[in-house]
Amino acid sequence: MKTKMLATAICLLLPIGAHAQTTEELKKGSNNTANVLNYGMDYGQQRYSPLDQINKKTVKSLVPAWNLSLDDNRSAESQAFVYNGVLYITTHAATIAVEAKTGKQIWKTAVSYPPETPRIVCCGIINRGVALYEGKVFRTTLDAHIIALDAKTGKELWKEKVIDWNDGYSQTLAPLIADGVLLTGISGAEYGIRGFIDGWDPSTGKHLWRTYTIAGPDDPGAKTWPGDTWKHGGGSTWITGSYDAELNTVYWGVGNAGPWNAMVRAPGDNLYTASVMALDPQTGKVKWHFQFSPNDMFDYDSVADMVLATIEVGGKPTKVLLNANRNGFFYVLDRASGKLIAANQYVKTLNWATGIDKNGRPIESDLTRQVRTTEKTAEIWPSVWGGKAWSPSAFNPKTGLVYANTLEFGMTYTPTRPQYRAGTTYWGADLTWVFPKDKNVGYLKAIEPLTGKAKWEVASGTPRWGGVLTTAGGIVFSGQSTGEFEAFDADTGDKLWQFQTGSGIEGQPVTWQQDGVQYVAVASGHGGAYVVYAGDERLANVPAGASLWVFALPAKASQ
C-alpha cells in the first residue's frame, strides 16, 4: 500500500548532501556533533554532547531560532534526528523532514491506521522517533507496522505488519540499527500480550528473528510461569535498546508482567519481565539477563533507558550499564557479564522493599509480603509510575553524574483478579495516588551512580515527564509539564535559563552544530492527561498543541 503524501514539498535542489547513513557513522554517536543519528544521541544513550558553544556563561542569551507546528494535539515524546542539514521528527500521524537551520518543510508523509486503533492499544497515541540508515528513515506505527521511507523524498519503500493490533499490540518506539540489523519492540502488557523484540532486514523488510520476553514452555525460564500464565504474561519493550558495538550486544529493557496482581501468576519470577536482556543483534540470542523485580506486582517495569558508560569501579575503568529503575533503586551492572556492581535507593520514600541482596534480588518489606498473601489495599511507594518513569536520563562523562527526572509520589494499591479478553485491559489492580506533604512530586536529580545519592536536586510541583540532555558546556537541559524549557548548571543545579514553550515538555532534547552554530531542539506537546496525576491546577492552563522548538545563540553571544 502506498502511503499518501501530505503537504509534500520535495526540494531536490537543497544543499543537503547525501543520505547514506552508515554503520560507522552510527558508531560515532555524540562525537559526530554535526548530526544526531542515534536515539539517545549515541548508542549508549548517554544523551551527552561534547559541544560547548552553549555553556554556563552564554546560555542566558539562548533564543528561539525557529518553531514548527507538528499539527497534533497529542503528547509529543519524540526525539529529533539530524543528518546533513535535515531534521526528522515524528508524531503518531506523520513523519516530517525539515531544513535543520530554518525549519522549512522538505516533505511530510502521513501515517494511516484504522480509526478504532486508539480505543484498543496501550498506552499513549504517540511516537518517539525514527532510525536512519543507508538513505532510509524507519519508524513504527500505532497499529503495529514497521515502515521504511526514502530519506530524500519521504516516499514509502516498504511496510511490514508486525502483529495484529486487535489483540492489544501496538508500537510507539524509535527503531534501532545494530550491526546492520533493524530492531523493534512492542507495547501492550496492560492488554495481556506476550512481548517480544524483532530483528528485520533494513533493505527489504524481511523478518529475521523474534525473541520473546515471556519464557514459553520450550524456553529457558519456562518454570518461572505457572500453568499457561505465560500466554498473556506482558513484558512490553516500548523503549529503544542501547548497543555496545565492541561487545556486539544490544541491551533492552522489558516491562511489567500481566496482570499486575502477582498472585494470579504466583509462584515464580516470571522471566523476563522487569528485566534487561542482553542480545546478539544478528540472531536475537539472549547472552544474559538481569531481573530487577522478580514476580513484580507494582508495575515496576524496566522499559526505560539502559545507559552505557565507563566509570571507575574499585579504581578500574569498567564498562557498565546504568539504570534508574522504576522500583526506586539505582543499578550499576557490568555490561559484559550482567553481574551486579551496585544497587542503591535513589528516591526519598520507598516502602515496598528494604534493600537489594548480594544476588541482586529485592528484599521485600513486610508490607509487600502482606499484600501478596492477603491481596488487601495498602499504601505503596513509589507508585506504578515508579521512581523514574519512561523519561530518559543523561550521563555526563566529565562530571560522572546521571541526570534524571525522578518522581516522588505513592499509591493506594488494591489487587484485583481480571479475566483475560483479547483487546481489553488486563490491569490487575485498582489505584489512587498519594502525594507527599511538601507537594514536590518530582525532582531533577544529579545522581552518583555507585551510591544512588543526589549531588543536587531541583524540586518541582508537577512531574517532569520529558527527557534530559547534558553537554560539555556544563549544561543540563530539561522541561516542565507547565511548558518551561530550562537549562541548569551541571555541577550545582542552579537554573541558568528558561523559555516558556506554551505547552508541556514531554519530548527529548538534542543538540548539534551546523555552520559554526550550536542548536538545541525539543518537542513540546502536552496531552493533558497528567493533570490527574500531578494534582496541579496550573496544568489546566497549558495548551495541548504539539510543536518543535529549536534554539541557538545570537551571533554576538556565541563569540
Side-chain angles (χ1 to χ4, degrees), residues 416-436:
T416 62
R417 289 184 173 252
Q419 297 296 313
Y420 173 77
R421 290 185 298 161
T424 61
T425 54
Y426 193 52
W427 299 105
D430 291 330
L431 312 171
T432 58
W433 311 119
V434 181
F435 298 108

Side-chain angles (χ1 to χ4, degrees), residues 282-357:
Q282 285 290 329
T283 64
K285 181 180 178 181
V286 181
K287 296 185 177 182
W288 57 259
H289 77 278
F290 183 91
Q291 190 172 40
F292 302 99
S293 303
N295 196 231
D296 169 45
M297 67 185 305
F298 300 129
D299 189 29
Y300 293 154
D301 66 49
S302 299
V303 178
D305 47 317
M306 299 293 163
V307 180
L308 309 184
T310 298
I311 65 173
E312 292 276 333
V313 179
K316 179 182 177 182
T318 305
K319 298 181 73 168
V320 298
L321 181 152
L322 309 174
N323 178 252
N325 202 266
R326 279 204 192 197
N327 68 15
F329 293 95
F330 193 99
Y331 292 81
V332 182
L333 305 180
D334 183 310
R335 69 174 183 266
S337 65
K339 180 181 178 182
L340 177 68
I341 295 174
N344 293 284
Q345 181 175 333
Y346 71 93
V347 294
K348 296 179 184 299
T349 307
L350 187 158
N351 68 1
W352 79 275
T354 59
I356 306 295
D357 70 19

Side-chain angles (χ1 to χ4, degrees), residues 390-403:
W390 83 278
S391 313
S393 57
F395 172 78
N396 191 317
K398 294 183 70 173
T399 65
L401 299 171
V402 170
Y403 303 93

Side-chain angles (χ1 to χ4, degrees), residues 360-375:
R361 296 181 69 90
I363 304 169
E364 293 189 344
S365 65
D366 291 341
L367 177 63
T368 295
R369 289 194 290 268
Q370 181 181 3
V371 174
R372 286 189 184 277
T373 55
T374 65
E375 299 184 62

Side-chain angles (χ1 to χ4, degrees), residues 41 47 78-80 466-469 477-479 485 505 507-511 520-523:
M41 294 288 294
R47 290 177 169 82
S78 183
Q79 176 198 302
V468 180
L469 169 70
F477 288 99
S478 181
F485 188 47
I505 304 290
Q508 306 174 51
V510 296
T511 187
V520 179
V522 67

Side-chain angles (χ1 to χ4, degrees), residues 370-416:
Q370 181 181 3
V371 174
R372 286 189 184 277
T373 55
T374 65
E375 299 184 62
K376 291 184 178 180
T377 301
E379 184 176 310
I380 302 295
W381 291 69
S383 76
V384 296
W385 289 104
K388 183 181 83 68
W390 83 278
S391 313
S393 57
F395 172 78
N396 191 317
K398 294 183 70 173
T399 65
L401 299 171
V402 170
Y403 303 93
N405 286 325
T406 67
L407 303 174
E408 291 287 347
F409 58 95
M411 62 183 173
T412 56
Y413 176 92
T414 304
T416 62

